[in-house]
Coordinates of all heavy atoms in Angstrom, one line a residue:
M1 N -84.0 -11.4 58.3 CA -83.5 -11.3 56.9 C -84.5 -12.0 56.0 O -84.8 -11.3 54.9 CB -82.1 -11.9 56.8 CG -81.6 -11.8 55.5 SD -79.8 -12.3 55.2 CE -79.3 -13.0 56.7
I2 N -84.9 -13.1 56.3 CA -85.8 -13.8 55.4 C -87.1 -13.1 55.3 O -87.7 -13.1 54.2 CB -86.0 -15.3 55.9 CG1 -84.7 -16.1 56.0 CG2 -87.1 -16.0 55.1 CD1 -84.0 -16.2 54.7
E3 N -87.6 -12.5 56.3 CA -88.9 -11.7 56.2 C -88.7 -10.6 55.3 O -89.6 -10.3 54.5 CB -89.3 -11.3 57.6 CG -90.6 -10.5 57.6 CD -91.0 -10.1 59.0 OE1 -90.5 -10.7 60.1 OE2 -91.8 -9.2 59.2
E4 N -87.6 -9.9 55.4 CA -87.3 -8.8 54.5 C -87.3 -9.2 53.0 O -87.7 -8.6 52.1 CB -86.1 -8.0 55.0 CG -86.1 -7.5 56.3 CD -87.2 -6.5 56.6 OE1 -87.8 -5.9 55.7 OE2 -87.5 -6.2 57.8
M5 N -86.6 -10.4 52.8 CA -86.5 -10.9 51.5 C -87.9 -11.2 50.9 O -88.2 -11.0 49.8 CB -85.7 -12.1 51.4 CG -84.2 -11.8 51.7 SD -83.2 -13.3 52.0 CE -83.0 -13.8 50.3
G6 N -88.8 -11.8 51.8 CA -90.1 -12.0 51.5 C -90.9 -10.8 51.0 O -91.7 -10.8 50.2
E7 N -90.6 -9.7 51.8 CA -91.3 -8.5 51.5 C -90.9 -8.0 50.0 O -91.7 -7.4 49.3 CB -91.0 -7.4 52.5 CG -91.7 -7.7 53.8 CD -91.5 -6.7 54.9 OE1 -91.1 -5.6 54.6 OE2 -91.7 -7.0 56.1
C8 N -89.6 -8.1 49.7 CA -89.1 -7.8 48.4 C -89.8 -8.6 47.3 O -90.2 -8.1 46.3 CB -87.5 -8.0 48.3 SG -86.6 -6.8 49.3
I9 N -89.8 -9.9 47.5 CA -90.5 -10.8 46.6 C -92.0 -10.4 46.5 O -92.5 -10.5 45.4 CB -90.3 -12.3 47.1 CG1 -88.9 -12.7 46.9 CG2 -91.2 -13.2 46.3 CD1 -88.5 -14.0 47.7
S10 N -92.7 -10.1 47.5 CA -94.0 -9.7 47.6 C -94.2 -8.5 46.6 O -95.2 -8.5 45.8 CB -94.5 -9.4 48.9 OG -95.8 -9.1 48.9
I11 N -93.4 -7.5 46.7 CA -93.5 -6.4 45.9 C -93.4 -6.7 44.4 O -94.1 -6.3 43.5 CB -92.4 -5.3 46.3 CG1 -92.8 -4.7 47.7 CG2 -92.4 -4.2 45.2 CD1 -91.6 -3.9 48.3
I12 N -92.3 -7.6 44.1 CA -92.2 -8.1 42.7 C -93.4 -8.8 42.2 O -93.8 -8.5 41.2 CB -90.9 -8.9 42.7 CG1 -89.6 -8.2 42.9 CG2 -90.8 -9.6 41.3 CD1 -88.4 -9.0 43.1
K13 N -93.9 -9.7 43.1 CA -95.1 -10.5 42.7 C -96.3 -9.6 42.5 O -97.1 -9.8 41.5 CB -95.4 -11.6 43.6 CG -94.4 -12.7 43.5 CD -94.5 -13.8 44.7 CE -95.8 -14.5 44.6 NZ -96.0 -15.5 45.5
K14 N -96.6 -8.7 43.4 CA -97.8 -7.9 43.4 C -97.7 -6.7 42.4 O -98.8 -6.4 41.8 CB -98.1 -7.4 44.8 CG -98.5 -8.5 45.7 CD -98.7 -7.9 47.1 CE -99.1 -9.1 48.1 NZ -99.3 -8.6 49.5
K15 N -96.6 -6.1 42.3 CA -96.4 -4.9 41.5 C -95.7 -5.2 40.2 O -96.0 -4.4 39.2 CB -95.7 -3.8 42.3 CG -96.3 -3.4 43.5 CD -97.7 -2.7 43.3 CE -98.2 -2.2 44.6 NZ -99.5 -1.4 44.4
G16 N -94.8 -6.1 40.1 CA -94.1 -6.4 38.9 C -92.8 -5.6 38.7 O -92.7 -4.5 39.3
I17 N -92.0 -6.1 37.9 CA -90.6 -5.5 37.6 C -90.9 -4.1 37.0 O -90.2 -3.1 37.3 CB -89.8 -6.4 36.8 CG1 -89.5 -7.7 37.4 CG2 -88.5 -5.6 36.3 CD1 -88.7 -7.6 38.6
K18 N -91.8 -4.0 36.1 CA -92.1 -2.8 35.4 C -92.4 -1.7 36.3 O -91.9 -0.6 36.2 CB -93.3 -3.0 34.4 CG -93.4 -1.8 33.5 CD -94.5 -2.1 32.4 CE -94.7 -0.8 31.6 NZ -95.6 -0.9 30.5
A19 N -93.3 -2.0 37.3 CA -93.6 -1.0 38.3 C -92.3 -0.5 39.1 O -92.2 0.7 39.4 CB -94.7 -1.4 39.2
I20 N -91.5 -1.4 39.4 CA -90.3 -1.1 40.2 C -89.4 -0.2 39.3 O -88.7 0.7 39.9 CB -89.5 -2.4 40.6 CG1 -90.4 -3.2 41.7 CG2 -88.2 -2.0 41.2 CD1 -89.9 -4.5 42.0
L21 N -89.4 -0.5 38.1 CA -88.6 0.4 37.2 C -89.1 1.7 36.9 O -88.5 2.7 36.7 CB -88.4 -0.4 35.8 CG -87.5 -1.6 35.9 CD1 -87.6 -2.4 34.6 CD2 -86.1 -1.3 36.2
E22 N -90.5 1.8 36.9 CA -91.1 3.0 36.4 C -91.9 3.8 37.4 O -92.2 5.0 37.1 CB -92.1 2.6 35.1 CG -91.3 2.1 34.0 CD -92.2 1.6 32.9 OE1 -93.5 1.7 33.0 OE2 -91.7 1.1 31.9
D23 N -92.4 3.2 38.4 CA -93.2 3.9 39.5 C -92.4 4.3 40.6 O -91.9 3.4 41.4 CB -94.4 3.0 39.9 CG -95.3 3.7 40.8 OD1 -94.9 4.2 41.8 OD2 -96.6 3.5 40.6
K24 N -92.2 5.5 40.8 CA -91.3 6.1 41.9 C -91.7 5.6 43.3 O -90.8 5.2 44.1 CB -91.3 7.6 41.9 CG -90.4 8.2 42.9 CD -90.5 9.8 42.9 CE -89.5 10.4 43.9 NZ -89.6 11.8 44.0
D25 N -93.0 5.5 43.6 CA -93.4 5.0 44.9 C -93.1 3.6 45.1 O -92.6 3.1 46.2 CB -94.9 5.3 45.2 CG -95.2 6.8 45.2 OD1 -94.3 7.5 45.7 OD2 -96.3 7.2 45.0
V26 N -93.4 2.7 44.2 CA -93.1 1.3 44.2 C -91.6 1.1 44.3 O -91.1 0.3 45.1 CB -93.7 0.6 43.0 CG1 -93.3 -0.9 43.0 CG2 -95.2 0.7 42.9
R27 N -90.9 1.8 43.5 CA -89.4 1.7 43.5 C -88.8 2.0 44.9 O -88.0 1.4 45.4 CB -88.8 2.6 42.4 CG -87.3 2.5 42.3 CD -86.7 3.3 41.2 NE -85.3 3.0 40.9 CZ -84.9 2.0 40.2 NH1 -85.7 1.1 39.6 NH2 -83.6 1.9 40.0
N28 N -89.3 3.1 45.4 CA -88.8 3.6 46.8 C -89.1 2.5 47.8 O -88.4 2.2 48.8 CB -89.4 4.9 47.1 CG -88.7 6.1 46.4 OD1 -87.6 5.9 45.9 ND2 -89.4 7.2 46.3
H29 N -90.4 1.9 47.7 CA -90.7 0.9 48.7 C -89.8 -0.3 48.5 O -89.4 -0.9 49.5 CB -92.2 0.5 48.5 CG -92.7 -0.4 49.5 ND1 -93.8 -1.3 49.2 CD2 -92.4 -0.7 50.8 CE1 -94.0 -2.0 50.3 NE2 -93.1 -1.7 51.2
F30 N -89.6 -0.7 47.3 CA -88.7 -1.9 47.0 C -87.3 -1.5 47.6 O -86.6 -2.4 48.2 CB -88.6 -2.2 45.5 CG -87.8 -3.4 45.3 CD1 -88.3 -4.7 45.5 CD2 -86.5 -3.2 44.7 CE1 -87.4 -5.8 45.2 CE2 -85.6 -4.2 44.5 CZ -86.1 -5.5 44.8
L31 N -86.8 -0.3 47.3 CA -85.5 0.0 47.8 C -85.4 -0.1 49.3 O -84.3 -0.5 49.9 CB -85.0 1.4 47.3 CG -84.6 1.5 45.8 CD1 -84.5 2.9 45.3 CD2 -83.3 0.7 45.6
E32 N -86.4 0.4 50.0 CA -86.4 0.4 51.4 C -86.3 -1.1 51.9 O -85.6 -1.4 52.9 CB -87.8 1.0 51.9 CG -87.9 1.0 53.4 CD -89.3 1.5 53.8 OE1 -89.8 2.4 53.2 OE2 -89.7 1.1 54.9
E33 N -87.1 -2.0 51.3 CA -87.0 -3.4 51.7 C -85.7 -4.1 51.3 O -85.1 -4.8 52.2 CB -88.2 -4.2 51.2 CG -89.5 -3.7 51.5 CD -89.8 -3.6 53.0 OE1 -89.1 -4.3 53.8 OE2 -90.7 -2.7 53.4
I34 N -85.2 -3.9 50.2 CA -83.9 -4.4 49.8 C -82.8 -3.9 50.6 O -81.8 -4.6 50.9 CB -83.7 -4.3 48.3 CG1 -82.7 -5.3 47.8 CG2 -83.2 -2.9 47.9 CD1 -83.2 -6.8 47.6
T35 N -82.9 -2.7 51.1 CA -81.9 -2.1 52.0 C -81.9 -2.8 53.4 O -80.8 -3.1 54.0 CB -82.1 -0.6 52.2 OG1 -82.0 0.1 50.9 CG2 -81.2 0.0 53.2
D36 N -83.1 -3.2 53.8 CA -83.2 -4.0 55.1 C -82.5 -5.2 54.9 O -81.7 -5.7 55.8 CB -84.7 -4.2 55.4 CG -85.3 -2.9 55.9 OD1 -84.6 -2.0 56.4 OD2 -86.6 -2.9 55.9
V37 N -82.7 -5.9 53.8 CA -82.0 -7.2 53.5 C -80.5 -7.0 53.5 O -79.7 -7.8 54.2 CB -82.4 -7.8 52.1 CG1 -81.6 -9.0 51.8 CG2 -83.9 -8.1 52.1
Q38 N -80.0 -6.0 52.9 CA -78.5 -5.7 52.9 C -78.0 -5.5 54.2 O -77.0 -5.9 54.6 CB -78.2 -4.6 51.9 CG -76.7 -4.3 51.8 CD -76.4 -3.2 50.9 OE1 -77.3 -2.6 50.3 NE2 -75.1 -3.1 50.6
N39 N -78.8 -4.7 55.0 CA -78.4 -4.4 56.4 C -78.2 -5.7 57.3 O -77.2 -5.8 58.0 CB -79.3 -3.5 57.1 CG -79.2 -2.1 56.6 OD1 -78.1 -1.7 56.1 ND2 -80.3 -1.2 56.7
Y40 N -79.1 -6.7 57.1 CA -79.0 -7.9 57.8 C -77.7 -8.7 57.3 O -77.0 -9.2 58.1 CB -80.2 -8.8 57.5 CG -81.4 -8.4 58.5 CD1 -82.5 -7.8 58.1 CD2 -81.3 -8.7 59.9 CE1 -83.5 -7.4 58.9 CE2 -82.3 -8.4 60.7 CZ -83.5 -7.7 60.2 OH -84.5 -7.4 61.1
Y41 N -77.5 -8.7 56.0 CA -76.3 -9.4 55.5 C -75.0 -8.8 56.1 O -74.2 -9.5 56.5 CB -76.2 -9.3 54.0 CG -77.1 -10.5 53.3 CD1 -78.1 -10.2 52.5 CD2 -76.7 -11.8 53.5 CE1 -78.8 -11.2 51.9 CE2 -77.4 -12.8 52.9 CZ -78.5 -12.5 52.1 OH -79.1 -13.5 51.5
I42 N -75.0 -7.5 56.1 CA -73.8 -6.8 56.6 C -73.6 -7.1 58.1 O -72.5 -7.3 58.5 CB -73.9 -5.2 56.3 CG1 -73.7 -5.0 54.8 CG2 -72.9 -4.5 57.1 CD1 -74.1 -3.6 54.4
E43 N -74.7 -7.1 58.8 CA -74.6 -7.5 60.3 C -74.1 -8.8 60.4 O -73.2 -9.1 61.4 CB -76.0 -7.3 60.9 CG -76.0 -7.5 62.4 CD -75.2 -6.5 63.2 OE1 -75.0 -5.3 62.6 OE2 -74.7 -6.7 64.3
V44 N -74.5 -9.8 59.7 CA -73.9 -11.2 59.8 C -72.5 -11.2 59.5 O -71.7 -11.8 60.2 CB -74.7 -12.1 58.9 CG1 -74.0 -13.5 58.7 CG2 -76.2 -12.4 59.3
L45 N -72.1 -10.5 58.4 CA -70.7 -10.5 58.0 C -69.8 -9.8 59.2 O -68.8 -10.3 59.5 CB -70.4 -9.6 56.7 CG -71.1 -10.2 55.5 CD1 -71.0 -9.3 54.3 CD2 -70.4 -11.6 55.2
N46 N -70.3 -8.7 59.8 CA -69.7 -8.1 60.9 C -69.5 -9.0 62.1 O -68.5 -9.1 62.7 CB -70.3 -6.8 61.2 CG -70.1 -5.7 60.2 OD1 -69.2 -5.7 59.5 ND2 -71.0 -4.7 60.2
C47 N -70.6 -9.6 62.4 CA -70.7 -10.6 63.6 C -69.6 -11.7 63.5 O -69.0 -12.1 64.4 CB -72.0 -11.1 63.8 SG -73.2 -9.9 64.5
L48 N -69.4 -12.1 62.2 CA -68.5 -13.2 61.9 C -67.1 -12.7 61.5 O -66.2 -13.5 61.2 CB -69.1 -14.1 60.8 CG -70.5 -14.8 61.2 CD1 -71.0 -15.5 60.0 CD2 -70.3 -15.7 62.4
K49 N -66.9 -11.4 61.6 CA -65.6 -10.8 61.3 C -65.1 -11.2 59.9 O -63.9 -11.4 59.7 CB -64.6 -11.1 62.3 CG -65.0 -10.6 63.7 CD -64.0 -11.0 64.8 CE -64.3 -10.5 66.2 NZ -65.4 -9.8 66.5
I50 N -66.1 -11.2 58.9 CA -65.7 -11.5 57.5 C -65.3 -10.1 56.9 O -66.1 -9.2 56.9 CB -66.8 -12.2 56.8 CG1 -67.1 -13.5 57.5 CG2 -66.5 -12.2 55.3 CD1 -68.3 -14.2 56.9
T51 N -64.1 -10.0 56.4 CA -63.7 -8.8 55.9 C -64.2 -8.5 54.5 O -64.6 -9.5 53.8 CB -62.1 -8.7 55.8 OG1 -61.7 -9.7 54.8 CG2 -61.5 -9.0 57.1
P52 N -64.2 -7.3 54.1 CA -64.7 -7.0 52.6 C -63.9 -7.7 51.7 O -64.4 -8.2 50.6 CB -64.5 -5.5 52.5 CG -64.6 -5.0 53.9 CD -64.0 -6.0 54.8
E53 N -62.5 -7.8 51.9 CA -61.7 -8.6 51.0 C -62.1 -10.1 50.9 O -62.1 -10.6 49.8 CB -60.2 -8.4 51.4 CG -59.7 -7.0 51.3 CD -60.0 -6.1 52.4 OE1 -60.5 -6.6 53.4 OE2 -59.9 -4.9 52.2
E54 N -62.3 -10.7 52.1 CA -62.7 -12.1 52.1 C -64.0 -12.3 51.3 O -64.1 -13.2 50.6 CB -63.0 -12.4 53.6 CG -62.1 -13.5 54.2 CD -62.6 -13.8 55.6 OE1 -62.9 -12.9 56.4 OE2 -62.5 -15.0 55.9
F55 N -64.9 -11.4 51.6 CA -66.2 -11.5 50.9 C -66.0 -11.4 49.4 O -66.6 -12.1 48.6 CB -67.2 -10.5 51.5 CG -68.6 -10.7 50.9 CD1 -69.4 -11.6 51.3 CD2 -69.0 -9.9 49.8 CE1 -70.7 -11.8 50.8 CE2 -70.2 -10.0 49.2 CZ -71.1 -11.0 49.7
S56 N -65.3 -10.4 49.0 CA -65.1 -10.1 47.5 C -64.4 -11.2 46.9 O -64.8 -11.6 45.7 CB -64.2 -8.9 47.4 OG -64.9 -7.6 47.8
N57 N -63.4 -11.8 47.5 CA -62.7 -12.9 47.0 C -63.6 -14.2 46.8 O -63.6 -14.9 45.8 CB -61.4 -13.4 47.8 CG -60.3 -12.3 47.6 OD1 -60.3 -11.6 46.7 ND2 -59.5 -12.2 48.7
A58 N -64.4 -14.4 47.8 CA -65.4 -15.5 47.8 C -66.4 -15.3 46.7 O -66.8 -16.2 45.9 CB -66.1 -15.7 49.1
Y59 N -66.9 -14.0 46.5 CA -67.9 -13.7 45.5 C -67.3 -14.0 44.1 O -67.9 -14.6 43.2 CB -68.3 -12.2 45.6 CG -69.2 -11.8 44.6 CD1 -70.6 -12.0 44.6 CD2 -68.7 -11.3 43.3 CE1 -71.5 -11.7 43.6 CE2 -69.6 -10.9 42.3 CZ -70.9 -11.1 42.5 OH -71.8 -10.7 41.4
I60 N -66.1 -13.5 43.8 CA -65.4 -13.7 42.6 C -65.2 -15.1 42.3 O -65.5 -15.5 41.1 CB -64.1 -12.9 42.5 CG1 -64.4 -11.4 42.5 CG2 -63.3 -13.3 41.3 CD1 -63.2 -10.5 42.8
E61 N -64.7 -15.9 43.2 CA -64.5 -17.3 43.0 C -65.8 -18.0 42.7 O -65.9 -18.9 41.7 CB -63.9 -17.9 44.3 CG -63.5 -19.3 44.2 CD -62.8 -19.8 45.5 OE1 -61.9 -19.2 45.9 OE2 -63.2 -20.8 46.0
K62 N -66.9 -17.7 43.4 CA -68.2 -18.4 43.2 C -68.7 -17.9 41.8 O -69.3 -18.8 41.1 CB -69.2 -18.0 44.3 CG -70.5 -18.6 44.2 CD -70.5 -20.1 44.3 CE -71.9 -20.7 44.2 NZ -71.9 -22.2 44.3
H63 N -68.6 -16.7 41.5 CA -69.1 -16.2 40.2 C -68.4 -16.9 39.0 O -69.0 -17.4 38.1 CB -68.9 -14.7 40.1 CG -69.3 -14.1 38.7 ND1 -70.6 -14.0 38.3 CD2 -68.5 -13.7 37.7 CE1 -70.6 -13.5 37.1 NE2 -69.4 -13.3 36.7
E64 N -67.1 -17.0 39.1 CA -66.3 -17.7 38.1 C -66.7 -19.2 38.0 O -66.8 -19.7 36.9 CB -64.8 -17.7 38.4 CG -64.3 -16.2 38.1 CD -62.8 -16.0 38.5 OE1 -62.3 -16.9 39.3 OE2 -62.3 -14.9 38.3
H65 N -67.0 -19.8 39.1 CA -67.4 -21.2 39.1 C -68.8 -21.3 38.4 O -69.0 -22.2 37.6 CB -67.5 -21.7 40.6 CG -68.3 -23.0 40.7 ND1 -67.6 -24.2 40.4 CD2 -69.5 -23.3 41.1 CE1 -68.5 -25.2 40.5 NE2 -69.7 -24.7 41.0
N66 N -69.7 -20.4 38.8 CA -71.1 -20.5 38.2 C -71.0 -20.2 36.7 O -71.8 -20.7 35.9 CB -72.0 -19.5 38.9 CG -72.4 -19.9 40.3 OD1 -72.3 -21.1 40.6 ND2 -72.8 -19.0 41.1
M67 N -70.1 -19.3 36.3 CA -70.0 -19.0 34.8 C -69.7 -20.3 34.0 O -69.9 -20.3 32.8 CB -69.1 -17.8 34.5 CG -69.6 -16.5 35.2 SD -71.3 -16.1 34.6 CE -71.0 -15.8 32.9
K68 N -69.0 -21.2 34.6 CA -68.6 -22.4 33.9 C -69.6 -23.5 33.9 O -69.4 -24.5 33.3 CB -67.2 -22.9 34.5 CG -66.1 -22.0 34.4 CD -64.9 -22.4 35.1 CE -63.8 -21.4 35.1 NZ -62.6 -21.7 36.0
R69 N -70.6 -23.3 34.7 CA -71.7 -24.4 34.9 C -72.6 -24.4 33.7 O -72.8 -23.4 33.0 CB -72.5 -24.2 36.1 CG -71.8 -24.3 37.4 CD -72.5 -23.9 38.6 NE -73.7 -24.8 38.8 CZ -74.6 -24.7 39.7 NH1 -74.6 -23.7 40.6 NH2 -75.6 -25.6 39.8
N70 N -73.1 -25.6 33.4 CA -74.1 -25.9 32.4 C -75.4 -26.1 33.1 O -75.8 -27.2 33.3 CB -73.7 -27.0 31.5 CG -74.7 -27.3 30.3 OD1 -75.9 -26.9 30.4 ND2 -74.2 -27.9 29.3
Y71 N -76.1 -25.1 33.4 CA -77.3 -25.2 34.2 C -78.4 -26.0 33.5 O -79.2 -26.8 34.1 CB -77.9 -23.7 34.5 CG -77.0 -23.0 35.5 CD1 -76.2 -22.1 35.1 CD2 -77.3 -23.3 36.9 CE1 -75.4 -21.4 36.1 CE2 -76.5 -22.6 37.8 CZ -75.6 -21.7 37.4 OH -74.9 -21.0 38.4
E72 N -78.6 -25.8 32.2 CA -79.6 -26.6 31.4 C -79.3 -28.1 31.6 O -80.2 -28.9 31.9 CB -79.5 -26.2 29.9 CG -80.6 -26.8 29.1 CD -80.6 -26.4 27.7 OE1 -80.1 -25.3 27.4 OE2 -81.2 -27.1 26.9
K73 N -78.1 -28.6 31.4 CA -77.7 -29.9 31.6 C -78.0 -30.4 33.0 O -78.5 -31.5 33.2 CB -76.3 -30.2 31.1 CG -75.8 -31.6 31.3 CD -74.4 -31.7 30.9 CE -73.9 -33.1 31.1 NZ -72.5 -33.3 30.8
E74 N -77.5 -29.6 34.0 CA -77.7 -29.9 35.4 C -79.1 -30.2 35.8 O -79.4 -31.1 36.5 CB -77.0 -28.9 36.3 CG -75.6 -28.8 36.3 CD -75.0 -27.7 37.2 OE1 -75.6 -27.4 38.2 OE2 -74.0 -27.1 36.8
Y75 N -80.0 -29.3 35.3 CA -81.4 -29.4 35.8 C -82.1 -30.4 35.0 O -83.0 -31.0 35.5 CB -82.1 -28.0 35.6 CG -81.7 -27.1 36.7 CD1 -80.8 -26.1 36.5 CD2 -82.2 -27.3 38.0 CE1 -80.4 -25.2 37.6 CE2 -81.8 -26.6 39.1 CZ -80.9 -25.5 38.9 OH -80.5 -24.7 39.8
K76 N -81.7 -30.7 33.7 CA -82.3 -31.9 33.0 C -82.0 -33.2 33.7 O -82.9 -34.1 33.9 CB -81.8 -31.9 31.6 CG -82.5 -31.0 30.7 CD -82.0 -31.2 29.2 CE -82.7 -30.2 28.3 NZ -82.2 -30.4 26.9
E77 N -80.8 -33.3 34.2 CA -80.4 -34.6 34.9 C -81.0 -34.6 36.3 O -81.4 -35.7 36.8 CB -78.8 -34.6 35.0 CG -78.2 -34.8 33.6 CD -76.6 -34.8 33.7 OE1 -76.1 -34.6 34.9 OE2 -76.0 -34.8 32.7
K78 N -81.1 -33.5 36.9 CA -81.7 -33.4 38.3 C -83.1 -33.8 38.3 O -83.7 -34.4 39.2 CB -81.4 -32.0 38.9 CG -81.8 -31.9 40.4 CD -81.4 -30.5 40.8 CE -81.8 -30.4 42.4 NZ -81.4 -29.2 42.9
Y79 N -83.9 -33.3 37.3 CA -85.4 -33.5 37.3 C -85.9 -34.4 36.2 O -86.8 -34.1 35.6 CB -86.0 -32.0 37.2 CG -85.7 -31.2 38.4 CD1 -84.8 -30.1 38.2 CD2 -86.2 -31.4 39.6 CE1 -84.5 -29.3 39.2 CE2 -85.9 -30.6 40.7 CZ -85.0 -29.5 40.5 OH -84.7 -28.7 41.5
K80 N -85.2 -35.5 36.0 CA -85.6 -36.5 35.0 C -86.9 -37.1 35.4 O -87.2 -37.4 36.5 CB -84.6 -37.5 34.8 CG -83.3 -37.1 34.0 CD -82.4 -38.2 33.8 CE -81.3 -37.7 33.0 NZ -80.3 -38.7 32.7

């Protein structure tokens, strides 16, 4: 999974976001790699018998938590 994520990052670094948005070949390559990442995540969820409802609830809870965070303050304190 990490290797596939690295391939996605590599495309972003080498080609840029604009190319992913505008160049069909670059976009298709990126989609191929990001699909590999998603497949690994799904496999992990399946192996651990994590249900879609469980995952959705955890996602919503984490998102709500993150929306309340003050990242600017946190990072200023963390990297003084």
Side-chain angles (χ1 to χ4, degrees):
M1 180 177 4
I2 299 302
E3 181 178 338
E4 300 298 343
M5 291 170 77
E7 290 181 20
C8 291
I9 292 166
S10 179
I11 294 168
I12 293 168
K13 287 173 66 176
K14 291 178 182 175
K15 301 293 184 174
I17 298 295
K18 186 176 179 180
I20 295 169
L21 291 169
E22 298 175 359
D23 184 311
K24 183 180 176 183
D25 291 334
V26 174
R27 186 175 186 83
N28 286 339
H29 185 207
F30 181 79
L31 284 168
E32 179 182 328
E33 300 304 336
I34 201 77
T35 299
D36 287 340
V37 173
Q38 184 178 7
N39 286 336
Y40 278 108
Y41 275 116
I42 290 169
E43 185 63 25
V44 169
L45 295 174
N46 287 336
C47 286
L48 298 175
K49 298 182 182 352
I50 296 172
T51 66
E53 293 80 15
E54 243 183 318
F55 184 81
S56 294
N57 290 338
Y59 176 87
I60 291 166
E61 187 177 307
K62 181 65 174 177
H63 177 73
E64 288 172 351
H65 170 76
N66 285 341
M67 293 307 292
K68 295 174 187 171
R69 292 175 65 185
N70 183 336
Y71 288 97
E72 186 176 339
K73 180 181 176 186
E74 287 179 33
Y75 285 104
K76 278 184 180 178
E77 291 175 3
K78 186 175 182 177
Y79 298 109
K80 285 183 181 181

